[in-house]
Amino acid sequence: MNMLAPKPAAATAALSRPLPAALPRAARLKPVLLQVLPPLLVLAALVGLWEFAASGPGATLPPPSKVWEDARDLIVDPFFDRGGLDKGLFWHLLASLQRVALGFALATVAGVALGLLIGTSDFAMRGLDPLFQVLRTVPPLAWLPLSLAAFREAQPSAIFVIFITSIWPIIINTAVGVRNVPQDYRNVAAVIRLRGPAYFWKILLPAAAPYIFTGLKIGIGLSWLAIIAAEMLIGGVGIGFFIWDAWNSSNLSDIIVALIYVGLVGFALDRLVALAGRLVTHGTAAS
Amino acid sequence: MDRFLDISQLSVAFPRAPVPVLREIDLTIRRGEYVAVIGHSGCGKSTLLNVIAGLLPATAGGVVLEGREVEGPGPDRAVVFQNHSLLPWLTCYQNVKLAVDQTLSRTMSRAARHDWVLENLALVRMTHAKDKRPNEISGGMKQRIGIARALAMRPKVLLLDEPFGALDALTRAHLQDQVMEIHAQRGTTVVMITHDVDEAVLLADRIVMLTNGPNARIGEVLEVELPRPRDRLALAADPRFVAARSAVLEFLHARHANPALAAA
């Protein structure tokens, strides 16, 4: 019964594979260049402008050439560890990422569960939604003193700040996703009599998945914003405190290098969640 | 008379609407019959189908299928929705399989269900796309998967809600021929909602014409006495086809013209 399937697949593969090879090398490189060239040009222009603007006698910020000179060991070797806080950026970023991973994982579990609850129950929606709407506007750092008082330790307080920052978009988007299961899917489920847990796993959760991942994507971005600020206050190993420490010792070049790393890691986190979303929802998140 | 599907004194009103959408619909459908319901937009055709499907409750009267009153949706009345309604996160195979697993797991073994899914995909000639997801195939193909899913539930009645409305004319003709073949092959009873006169005459044994809503009633019922199998090319010039076609057109455009257009 499965005998027919491999045949067309093999046929299309045989047809489509030689085509790109037939193109000359230059023609294949062109689209890649068109993608890569513009950002590289813009980057070069900006670095040039920065160098020019920060090279004057009255400049308050170091030019890129000086950053390279001052912070070369930081850029070249992110893995050194001389004990205490004198570590390579990799270790600082790792410490921050661990906090984010823990706080964000807790927020994902709790946020999806609460989102499903207020998405499916009108009572829970009416009861909890006003509370959530108020609490979600509280800035992340405003939670820090309270959590320090409650946990009496820096580490769990920072994790709590991540949790409380990223949970709101996860709750709200999950609830919206659950409420927006299209009537078509509900009709299909009704005709084939899918109810209860089967309905939850086979219709509700997959239909809400694109929304859930939108919430996760916003949540991870907020987490990364919040951890930097929280670490500046709690100290210890972490990229946030590294920046604050560099400021206190007037190490502007170190700050600039750290900022670039923070940006790159934030970008990578965003893409990672987007990728996970695409894998889980099979690309239906886009449509 | 064979009272396979019996709609009697059916009225449907929506809450807060002063006039019912459908009023006192009486219709008896024989086993294996192909019935087309035609009428202008907004006349309540889809409402009628949804009540038969059990997706909407009747306000008065009711629907009886093989001696049992319809009280809710179920796989014995499989629906092919206008917008295909395939689940986008499942492949074509999985979409059909979900319906089969859900409705036939008590009577069929796992292996038999797998074969049955493939058989229905083959019936609509979609075996080649069984591992594709709905967003990777064309509108006509999606509708064929929708038909395969509905047929795979072994329904007593197949309900088609303007199944070809969103398709281009060539795809539509192709699918109409396929549905005719399937109807001949499986002998399923079909109720089809349509607003296409040619489609109704070509496919149906009987055409039920609804008057304009709200308060829509059955205005007229036309028996289409064309022999099967029907061939669209040969029929185009057949006087019986032309007569049936003009009878429906007469009803729709002369006696019950579209109120929206008449007002303009």
Side-chain angles (χ1 to χ4, degrees):
Chain A
M1 58 233 156
N2 248 339
M3 304 240 274
L4 269 176
K7 234 188 224 168
T12 47
L15 270 178
S16 62
R17 217 163 272 160
L19 275 176
L23 286 170
R25 181 177 279 258
R28 267 185 299 152
L29 273 175
K30 207 178 164 199
V32 179
L33 276 180
L34 283 177
Q35 278 295 319
V36 174
L37 215 52
L40 281 181
L41 284 177
V42 170
L43 195 66
L46 282 177
V47 170
L49 191 69
W50 173 16
E51 179 75 44
F52 172 76
S55 293
T60 49
L61 294 176
S65 54
K66 187 157 189 316
V67 170
W68 172 250
E69 210 174 287
D70 290 348
R72 188 171 352 176
D73 58 334
L74 214 55
I75 300 169
V76 176
D77 181 14
F79 299 106
F80 71 84
D81 187 352
R82 298 189 201 110
L85 293 182
D86 194 7
K87 295 174 197 288
L89 279 175
F90 170 80
W91 303 108
H92 289 287
L93 286 165
L94 187 68
S96 301
L97 281 172
Q98 278 170 345
R99 293 188 183 111
V100 167
L102 202 52
F104 183 68
L106 290 172
T108 301
V109 173
V112 170
L114 278 169
L116 290 172
L117 178 70
I118 67 170
T120 44
S121 151
D122 279 328
F123 182 82
M125 172 80 170
R126 290 200 192 101
L128 291 171
D129 191 57
L131 193 68
F132 290 168
Q133 295 299 340
V134 172
L135 287 182
R136 78 186 174 91
T137 64
V138 175
L141 279 192
W143 291 101
L144 189 61
L146 207 59
S147 58
L148 276 171
F151 295 110
R152 306 201 171 268
E153 245 181 281
Q155 188 72 356
S157 306
I159 291 167
F160 176 77
V161 168
I162 298 307
F163 170 84
I164 204 75
T165 306
S166 53
I167 196 169
W168 310 116
I170 301 175
I171 294 177
I172 291 166
N173 280 283
T174 304
V176 169
V178 170
R179 298 227 162 227
N180 283 353
V181 174
Q183 188 59 44
D184 301 338
Y185 304 167
R186 293 176 201 264
N187 284 345
V188 170
V191 168
I192 64 175
R193 297 209 170 121
L194 265 179
R195 297 193 195 102
Y199 174 78
F200 176 83
W201 290 111
K202 299 203 161 145
I203 307 282
L204 189 70
L205 208 55
Y211 291 86
I212 295 176
F213 274 97
T214 303
L216 293 180
K217 208 157 160 274
I218 301 170
I220 195 83
L222 291 179
S223 304
W224 194 237
L225 294 183
I227 191 64
I228 308 294
E231 282 174 348
M232 285 187 176
L233 296 177
I234 61 166
V237 178
I239 192 72
F241 187 67
F242 175 87
I243 293 173
W244 192 244
D245 196 37
W247 160 246
N248 282 332
S249 41
S250 306
N251 238 331
L252 289 180
S253 297
D254 285 7
I255 297 180
I256 289 167
V257 174
L259 284 190
I260 293 168
Y261 270 98
V262 168
L264 290 175
V265 170
F267 175 75
L269 286 177
D270 183 81
R271 285 303 145 108
L272 204 65
V273 174
L275 180 73
R278 264 207 302 286
L279 289 178
V280 171
T281 63
H282 304 291
T284 50
S287 63
Chain B
M1 186 181 173
D2 177 16
R3 303 178 83 86
F4 182 66
L5 177 66
D6 209 352
I7 303 167
S8 52
Q9 289 294 303
L10 176 74
S11 295
V12 184
F14 288 122
R16 286 190 296 277
V19 196
V21 183
L22 294 170
R23 199 189 61 190
E24 290 161 16
I25 303 285
D26 273 304
L27 181 65
T28 302
I29 295 168
R30 296 183 297 271
R31 186 188 300 270
E33 193 178 16
Y34 198 124
V35 173
V37 178
I38 198 166
H40 290 291
S41 322
C43 75
K45 316 184 282 284
S46 288
T47 306
L48 177 62
L49 192 94
N50 282 333
V51 173
I52 301 175
L55 292 167
L56 275 179
T59 312
V63 180
V64 175
L65 174 62
E66 272 198 320
R68 288 187 56 182
E69 179 158 17
V70 166
E71 276 169 348
D76 55 341
R77 286 150 287 125
V79 189
V80 176
F81 297 96
Q82 185 174 7
N83 54 357
H84 67 77
S85 298
L86 298 179
L87 305 175
W89 56 86
L90 298 180
T91 63
C92 295
Y93 171 86
Q94 289 167 332
N95 263 290
V96 181
K97 185 80 180 341
L98 177 67
V100 170
D101 283 348
Q102 190 61 27
T103 56
L104 301 175
S105 60
R106 257 173 262 146
T107 52
M108 275 176 134
S109 72
R110 197 180 183 71
R113 293 203 300 271
H114 170 77
D115 292 351
W116 176 239
V117 171
L118 291 182
E119 191 185 324
N120 280 282
L121 286 171
L123 186 71
V124 295
R125 306 205 186 113
M126 286 298 294
T127 312
H128 62 281
K130 71 185 177 67
D131 295 321
K132 291 214 164 98
R133 284 177 209 286
N135 58 7
E136 297 169 319
I137 58 178
S138 70
M141 290 178 171
K142 284 180 207 164
Q143 210 50 279
R144 275 147 73 184
I145 300 293
I147 293 170
R149 175 174 66 184
L151 286 169
M153 298 177 206
R154 294 223 164 112
K156 290 175 183 159
V157 186
L158 183 63
L159 303 171
L160 306 176
D161 187 2
E162 295 191 32
F164 317 126
L167 305 176
D168 65 271
L170 290 174
T171 311
R172 193 185 310 163
H174 182 65
L175 274 185
Q176 286 165 349
D177 290 343
Q178 272 194 6
V179 166
M180 271 197 284
E181 257 175 60
I182 292 167
H183 178 239
Q185 211 174 319
R186 293 253 171 110
T188 317
T189 312
V190 183
V191 179
M192 176 180 74
I193 303 297
T194 182
H195 51 224
D196 181 334
V197 177
D198 288 322
E199 179 170 285
V201 178
L202 181 68
L203 294 176
D205 297 315
R206 226 163 11 131
I207 302 175
V208 174
M209 293 169 246
L210 293 184
T211 64
N212 287 320
N215 237 338
R217 291 167 294 106
I218 293 181
E220 206 172 297
V221 177
L222 179 78
E223 293 273 352
V224 184
E225 277 152 2
L226 292 166
R228 290 179 189 272
R230 296 175 183 169
D231 173 60
R232 67 174 65 244
L233 287 177
L235 282 180
D238 189 310
R240 289 167 298 180
F241 180 86
V242 175
R245 192 172 174 275
S246 48
V248 179
L249 282 173
E250 229 264 321
F251 177 90
L252 287 177
H253 298 294
R255 278 181 287 149
H256 295 276
N258 189 335
L261 293 178

